[in-house]
Amino acid sequence: MVSSKDVAKHAGVSQTTVSRVLNSPEFVKKPTFDKVMKAIHDLNYVPNGHARSLVQNKTETIALLSGPLHNPFFVDTTSAIVHYANEMGYRVNVQFVNDQKLNEAYATAIEHKVDGVILSCILLDDPIFEKLTRMNIPFITYNRKHKNNEYFVEIDNFEAGYLAAKHMIEQGHTAIAWVGGTLTVSTFNNRYLGFLQAIKDHKLSLPEQYIINTDASKQAITHAFHKLMQLEHRPTAICAGADSLALFLIDVAIQENYTVPEDISIIGIDNVDLSSHGSIQLTTVGSISEQNLGYLAIRELIEMIENKKNSCIQITESVKVFHRSTTQKI
Amino acid sequence: MVSSKDVAKHAGVSQTTVSRVLNSPEFVKKPTFDKVMKAIHDLNYVPNGHARSLVQNKTETIALLSGPLHNPFFVDTTSAIVHYANEMGYRVNVQFVNDQKLNEAYATAIEHKVDGVILSCILLDDPIFEKLTRMNIPFITYNRKHKNNEYFVEIDNFEAGYLAAKHMIEQGHTAIAWVGGTLTVSTFNNRYLGFLQAIKDHKLSLPEQYIINTDASKQAITHAFHKLMQLEHRPTAICAGADSLALFLIDVAIQENYTVPEDISIIGIDNVDLSSHGSIQLTTVGSISEQNLGYLAIRELIEMIENKKNSCIQITESVKVFHRSTTQKI
DNA sequence: ACTCAAAATGGTTACGTATTCATTTTTGGT
DNA sequence: ACCAAAAATGAATACGTAACCATTTTGAGT
């Protein structure tokens, strides 16, 4: 591997000068500059980023621990995060993690002394929170948040669940089911609580079988859908805990020869880009703002990194219903 | 920052022993091992990946230069690549590049001495090919390929274009338009040539206005759709150069109150995961194999890295039509 | 021509790890 | 109890860069 020393020898200058040519060329005379540049070109020299990171103790790299891309929410956020970060001169180390392999992912992120970490799937009582704090690594969570209630960007999940149910009620539905994810996740938990509150406020009955909180796999969702539709008094509407779940439900419904919304109304939460596609037109609840959560998160994170500002980030975006075509009056 | 020296001091051993505890614990006695582990834990020591990379000259990192995620093809491939790489113990540095900022992306990838590079959007005569070869960095391209015709994984693009047109012809269409991407890209070019060949083989006429090769932005596609539908003899079918384009076209069509396939049949190429969703059911041409191109590419790349095998990779997957619901007999 | 400040360049070191080689400690056979 | 071999540990060094400080060169003002 050709190093700056090789370049120096080839150009007849010191290694220091080579370094200067690359990092502060204003301090080096034109002729020397040219000599060095020629040598760099002749030898196809490329500086070693690791050596630089080692001595400078910064990496211009951000670690992104995202949920899986088969969830369109993470497609939107990952895209926004990587684009903005690149724009600002940071590289992004992406890992798509499931809750099991979380610790492994944390470890490799920390080993590489990234300038910041952005987490989508932190657990309520995740020890990583304290760890990152103690190591003084800037970080932010989006989508989910930690029980410490700091450094997060989220939508108003309770309100989202509430509005989803309210929307169905306003459409005249009274038999409304809930299909959400694990309640150990702050996001799903709050959305669920919002849903319950709306049901309660409107004095609707909610049979136990109408509530399904499960893992977010396609299999599980398929199973949930079957169970709901085979009930004696089957629901006429389903509030899904996330657009990804809603999209699964719709997929299953269609494949089982139900039509949406004629046979059953379905609403999601998140307002992912895909939901507005002409073929989908998913009714959903999402942030009022144009920017997705990933964008907000990376913007704040880079702000933290560069301004070293310590003011705690707590952003909760307001939400509204986006009424499209997967729900209708009964 | 706490280093292995600090740990050594705290445990009363040499730095060498600390390194050994982490990398070859079988050579260190149980009591020393425990002492060191305790010190590591006490001090919250995390080894510095950059220092390690520097001395070992390997990074366990792969750079992925992918197309943008708003194209569902890259969602599928990115997901497959990152999952497989992580499974095999590699981290993945993802960049979503547009053809303009390609060089910048190359540079940061190379600076960090990644173990391998995987490229989705190489240009036909891209100098990066020679550069990576000269630097002895293993790499592979998927989707597109370089004119050197080496180290790539692709589907049979010509055949895909041919089959798309043939499918429409078999459905009785005679007025078939083409909406593809820039022809400087190997993928689009070959698909287009296949399309042309099918039209020619079946002795159909192809008015000049039926051929639109443009950039793959939503705007451009919207414009293309309008132009086609306003023709005096408007086509009854469109072959799209990729599923992403087909999905855009369908989105536009629906928003303009056309119905697919009643008003117009549309077929894509790639068979992205999304295309089989119940609400979409896009007819498309895709690889016969279950695995997507990203998976094939990363598998080959890691093989190259680990076995240092130099046999040139040239994989072209056969294709077939997946007949769903966006095309119909006329 | 001479002085002195400013500009340009070079020598040396630190960053944190793994590796190589040298040294010390332990073990087992007599 | 002694010795050789094996096991365990340590000291020194390299990796490639940036930063710090020292030195040399340049140039402006007299």
Side-chain angles (χ1 to χ4, degrees), chain B residues 92-103:
Chain B
V92 180
N93 229 292
V94 184
Q95 293 187 72
F96 299 110
V97 294
N98 44 21
D99 288 347
Q100 287 80 48
K101 295 207 167 176
L102 218 45
N103 280 318

Side-chain angles (χ1 to χ4, degrees), chain B residues 167-173 236 261-262 265 323 326-330:
Chain B
H167 171 80
M168 289 301 194
I169 294 166
E170 285 169 355
Q171 301 289 306
H173 293 274
T236 60
E262 287 77 6
S265 283
H323 192 355
T326 57
T327 55
Q328 70 172 23
K329 288 203 190 303
I330 198 160

Side-chain angles (χ1 to χ4, degrees), chain B residues 13-14 16-17 20 27-29 32 54-55:
Chain B
V13 299
S14 71
T16 310
T17 299
R20 252 190 296 256
F27 290 139
V28 32
K29 261 206 299 197
T32 357
L54 185 57
V55 63

